[in-house]
Amino acid sequence: NCTNVILTQSYELTNVGESPLVIRSIEPSDSVISCGIKAGRVVAPGATLSIVVELNPSYIEDRDNPYVGRLRLVTNDPIKPLHTVRVSALPN
Protein backbone atom coordinates (compact mmCIF):
# COMPACT_ATOMS: atom_id res chain seq x y z
CA ASN A 1 0.00 0.00 0.00
CA CYS A 2 1.06 3.60 -0.63
CA THR A 3 2.28 5.13 2.60
CA ASN A 4 5.01 7.64 3.38
CA VAL A 5 7.41 4.82 4.21
CA ILE A 6 9.89 3.51 1.64
CA LEU A 7 8.80 0.01 0.66
CA THR A 8 11.31 -2.72 -0.17
CA GLN A 9 11.02 -6.09 -1.83
CA SER A 10 13.79 -8.47 -2.80
CA TYR A 11 14.00 -11.10 -5.47
CA GLU A 12 16.63 -13.56 -6.62
CA LEU A 13 18.39 -13.49 -9.99
CA THR A 14 20.11 -16.80 -10.75
CA ASN A 15 22.65 -17.28 -13.51
CA VAL A 16 21.76 -20.68 -14.96
CA GLY A 17 24.20 -20.25 -17.84
CA GLU A 18 27.79 -21.40 -18.21
CA SER A 19 29.33 -17.91 -18.52
CA PRO A 20 29.40 -14.92 -16.17
CA LEU A 21 26.23 -12.81 -16.34
CA VAL A 22 27.04 -9.10 -16.51
CA ILE A 23 24.39 -6.56 -15.55
CA ARG A 24 25.07 -3.84 -18.10
CA SER A 25 22.47 -1.32 -16.94
CA ILE A 26 19.61 -0.86 -14.50
CA GLU A 27 16.75 1.27 -15.83
CA PRO A 28 13.90 2.28 -13.49
CA SER A 29 10.81 3.65 -15.25
CA ASP A 30 10.83 6.73 -12.99
CA SER A 31 12.27 8.19 -9.76
CA VAL A 32 9.77 6.27 -7.60
CA ILE A 33 11.82 3.06 -8.03
CA SER A 34 15.44 2.41 -7.09
CA CYS A 35 17.63 -0.66 -6.85
CA GLY A 36 20.50 -1.55 -4.53
CA ILE A 37 22.83 -2.92 -7.20
CA LYS A 38 24.97 -1.07 -9.72
CA ALA A 39 25.66 -1.62 -13.41
CA GLY A 40 28.71 -3.75 -14.03
CA ARG A 41 27.80 -6.31 -11.39
CA VAL A 42 28.80 -9.84 -12.41
CA VAL A 43 26.97 -13.02 -11.39
CA ALA A 44 29.10 -16.17 -11.70
CA PRO A 45 27.67 -19.27 -13.42
CA GLY A 46 25.36 -21.08 -10.99
CA ALA A 47 25.37 -18.16 -8.53
CA THR A 48 22.38 -16.18 -7.29
CA LEU A 49 22.19 -12.43 -6.70
CA SER A 50 19.66 -10.95 -4.29
CA ILE A 51 18.23 -7.74 -5.71
CA VAL A 52 16.46 -5.30 -3.39
CA VAL A 53 14.00 -2.95 -5.10
CA GLU A 54 12.81 0.16 -3.25
CA LEU A 55 9.64 2.13 -3.91
CA ASN A 56 9.39 5.66 -2.50
CA PRO A 57 5.66 6.54 -2.34
CA SER A 58 6.38 10.20 -1.63
CA TYR A 59 7.45 10.56 -5.30
CA ILE A 60 4.16 9.21 -6.66
CA GLU A 61 2.24 12.11 -8.20
CA ASP A 62 -1.27 10.60 -8.27
CA ARG A 63 -1.65 8.78 -4.95
CA ASP A 64 -5.39 8.19 -5.48
CA ASN A 65 -4.78 5.57 -8.16
CA PRO A 66 -2.67 2.40 -8.25
CA TYR A 67 0.99 2.92 -9.19
CA VAL A 68 2.68 0.65 -11.72
CA GLY A 69 6.33 1.02 -12.70
CA ARG A 70 9.08 -1.16 -14.07
CA LEU A 71 12.70 -1.90 -13.35
CA ARG A 72 14.63 -3.17 -16.37
CA LEU A 73 17.91 -5.03 -16.09
CA VAL A 74 19.98 -5.17 -19.28
CA THR A 75 22.47 -8.05 -19.27
CA ASN A 76 24.91 -9.81 -21.56
CA ASP A 77 22.60 -12.85 -21.81
CA PRO A 78 22.58 -13.69 -25.55
CA ILE A 79 19.07 -15.24 -25.43
CA LYS A 80 17.22 -12.88 -23.07
CA PRO A 81 19.26 -9.72 -22.47
CA LEU A 82 16.36 -7.68 -21.01
CA HIS A 83 14.72 -8.66 -17.69
CA THR A 84 11.76 -6.61 -16.46
CA VAL A 85 10.46 -6.45 -12.89
CA ARG A 86 6.97 -4.99 -12.42
CA VAL A 87 6.64 -2.76 -9.35
CA SER A 88 3.21 -1.74 -8.10
CA ALA A 89 1.51 -0.07 -5.13
CA LEU A 90 -2.13 0.44 -4.18
CA PRO A 91 -3.54 3.63 -2.64
CA ASN A 92 -4.52 3.55 1.03
Side-chain angles (χ1 to χ4, degrees), residues 37-53:
I37 62 169
K38 304 289 184 205
R41 186 76 184 259
V42 177
V43 183
T48 299
L49 174 66
S50 179
I51 298 176
V52 177
V53 178

Side-chain angles (χ1 to χ4, degrees), residues 10-84:
S10 65
Y11 72 95
E12 305 292 317
L13 176 68
T14 301
N15 180 359
V16 296
E18 297 176 2
S19 300
L21 180 69
V22 179
I23 298 174
R24 292 184 172 158
S25 69
I26 299 146
E27 304 169 351
S29 58
D30 53 42
S31 61
V32 175
I33 305 167
S34 63
C35 180
I37 62 169
K38 304 289 184 205
R41 186 76 184 259
V42 177
V43 183
T48 299
L49 174 66
S50 179
I51 298 176
V52 177
V53 178
E54 292 184 346
L55 182 140
N56 189 337
S58 65
Y59 292 146
I60 298 174
E61 291 180 20
D62 182 4
R63 296 184 67 178
D64 294 328
N65 290 307
Y67 167 81
V68 177
R70 288 177 174 54
L71 179 71
R72 290 182 293 269
L73 299 175
V74 180
T75 70
N76 67 332
D77 184 333
I79 297 172
K80 188 178 177 190
L82 180 65
H83 302 268
T84 303

